[in-house]
Amino acid sequence: MTILVRDEEELIRANLDYHLSRGVDFIVATDNRSQDSTADILREYEKRGVLHYIFEPDDDYSQDQWVTRMARIAAEQYKADWIMHVDADEFWWPSDGRKIPKILESVDNSIDGLIVPRSNFVPIENYDDRSPFFTQLTVREKKSLNPLGRPLPPKVCHRGTSDIKVSQGNHSFGFENRAPRTEQCGNILIFHFQKRGFKQFQKRIQQGGAAYDRNQRLNKAVGDTWRELYELDRKGELQEYFTDSTYTDEEIKQGIVNESLVSDTRFMLYMTELYGQQQ
């Protein structure tokens, strides 16, 4: 697994523990200028021998280059059979109960990679930053959209190879000399917890939006969601946008009734049991 993070102390430990428990055997992590305890947490897992730590000092969000670098390290240095590219707020859920490697082992040898769908868990009023996110966010969208109201793009995983090139956003991949052969993944759903508390959301938009502004290499159409939300923040309108996107208890009940929302406590129960076992 690869993961690119910046100031993700709220999520990073849960993310690593969860995916290791689901069968991920090694993690290549890039820390992009974290100022909180993210680096210290990553170093803990490095000392355990399950993580390769990279510090990235640049501040232009060249995600495609940094994730491609991690993917090639995973393939060349650690001989990865399969590589999945994960964000800190994404948790890959095997819908049939198998470990993730078992699902990937069953993919036909002619397939280079899988297209994996995502599902947003909805933000709630009165979210408490002091409590674990997974105990509070237990309702997700039946059909997920990105923050600008467009269909939520999937993510990818692929076989380990040294000529891999991962796109910005981890939504697709390619090779040096040929097009990849992919298929839709029906056995994994990515649980996405992008919006939690407003302070976390605003900080992420400010960091990512400013970094995109500094990137002179990428087309301005790349990262349009980040850029538009960053513009809302500069106008002082991000709080209003965030508040409008949160759900009251009544709105959640209505959403479940009209089937636009789904109550899903599986992740909460899994994480509660995982940390109960670790204690």
Side-chain angles (χ1 to χ4, degrees), residues 120 143 156 178 182 192 196 229 232 279:
N120 288 329
K143 182 178 181 180
V156 294
R178 65 176 177 87
T182 63
H192 189 212
R196 299 176 304 279
L229 292 176
L232 283 182
Q279 293 172 3

Side-chain angles (χ1 to χ4, degrees), residues 179-240:
R181 295 180 295 270
T182 63
E183 67 178 18
Q184 300 293 319
C185 180
N187 297 318
I188 300 174
L189 178 62
I190 300 173
F191 291 159
H192 189 212
F193 297 89
Q194 183 188 44
K195 294 177 184 174
R196 299 176 304 279
F198 175 69
K199 289 182 180 179
Q200 156 269 320
F201 184 73
Q202 182 182 43
K203 182 177 181 180
R204 184 173 174 83
I205 295 304
Q206 289 175 344
Q207 289 178 337
Y212 266 124
D213 271 359
R214 286 187 288 270
N215 192 311
Q216 301 302 307
R217 179 179 57 86
L218 294 173
N219 186 291
K220 295 301 181 183
V222 175
D224 58 344
T225 300
W226 287 87
R227 297 178 196 273
E228 292 189 42
L229 292 176
Y230 185 51
E231 185 60 27
L232 283 182
D233 187 61
R234 288 195 283 202
K235 292 178 180 178
E237 299 173 2
L238 190 66
Q239 175 74 73
E240 181 181 0

Side-chain angles (χ1 to χ4, degrees), residues 26-39:
F26 198 78
I27 299 153
V28 182
T30 294
D31 167 27
N32 183 212
R33 302 170 62 91
S34 291
Q35 299 298 308
D36 62 6
S37 63
T38 296

Side-chain angles (χ1 to χ4, degrees), residues 7-8 11 34 50 73 110 126 151 153 155 169 187 209 239 241 248:
D7 293 335
E8 294 285 7
L11 295 178
S34 291
V50 296
I73 289 173
S110 66
N126 303 318
K155 293 299 183 76
N187 297 318
Q239 175 74 73
Y241 160 82
T248 64

Side-chain angles (χ1 to χ4, degrees), residues 143-159:
K143 182 178 181 180
S144 286
L145 305 174
N146 76 2
L148 300 181
R150 302 166 190 158
L152 187 68
K155 293 299 183 76
V156 294
C157 62
H158 54 79
R159 298 185 188 275

Side-chain angles (χ1 to χ4, degrees), residues 90-261:
E90 295 174 347
F91 296 78
W92 292 44
W93 182 267
S95 57
D96 60 8
R98 287 183 292 169
K99 297 279 190 178
I100 292 174
K102 290 296 182 183
I103 293 175
L104 299 178
E105 287 171 6
S106 68
V107 177
D108 189 89
N109 290 334
S110 66
I111 299 301
D112 297 309
L114 300 177
I115 310 300
V116 187
R118 292 189 290 168
S119 183
N120 288 329
F121 278 73
V122 299
I124 59 172
E125 279 192 331
N126 303 318
Y127 180 83
D128 187 352
D129 292 323
R130 298 166 298 180
S131 299
F133 72 96
F134 54 82
T135 64
Q136 303 179 73
L137 306 182
T138 60
V139 175
R140 58 183 178 86
E141 298 167 339
K142 194 164 188 178
K143 182 178 181 180
S144 286
L145 305 174
N146 76 2
L148 300 181
R150 302 166 190 158
L152 187 68
K155 293 299 183 76
V156 294
C157 62
H158 54 79
R159 298 185 188 275
T161 176
S162 60
D163 65 343
I164 197 75
K165 295 178 70 174
V166 183
S167 70
Q168 189 81 3
N170 305 336
H171 302 303
S172 62
F173 67 94
F175 300 116
E176 299 285 355
N177 300 311
R178 65 176 177 87
R181 295 180 295 270
T182 63
E183 67 178 18
Q184 300 293 319
C185 180
N187 297 318
I188 300 174
L189 178 62
I190 300 173
F191 291 159
H192 189 212
F193 297 89
Q194 183 188 44
K195 294 177 184 174
R196 299 176 304 279
F198 175 69
K199 289 182 180 179
Q200 156 269 320
F201 184 73
Q202 182 182 43
K203 182 177 181 180
R204 184 173 174 83
I205 295 304
Q206 289 175 344
Q207 289 178 337
Y212 266 124
D213 271 359
R214 286 187 288 270
N215 192 311
Q216 301 302 307
R217 179 179 57 86
L218 294 173
N219 186 291
K220 295 301 181 183
V222 175
D224 58 344
T225 300
W226 287 87
R227 297 178 196 273
E228 292 189 42
L229 292 176
Y230 185 51
E231 185 60 27
L232 283 182
D233 187 61
R234 288 195 283 202
K235 292 178 180 178
E237 299 173 2
L238 190 66
Q239 175 74 73
E240 181 181 0
Y241 160 82
F242 185 86
T243 300
D244 287 345
S245 70
T246 60
Y247 283 73
T248 64
D249 290 344
E250 185 57 37
E251 288 171 332
I252 287 175
K253 290 178 183 177
Q254 186 58 43
I256 292 173
V257 169
N258 65 30
E259 298 185 343
S260 62
L261 300 178

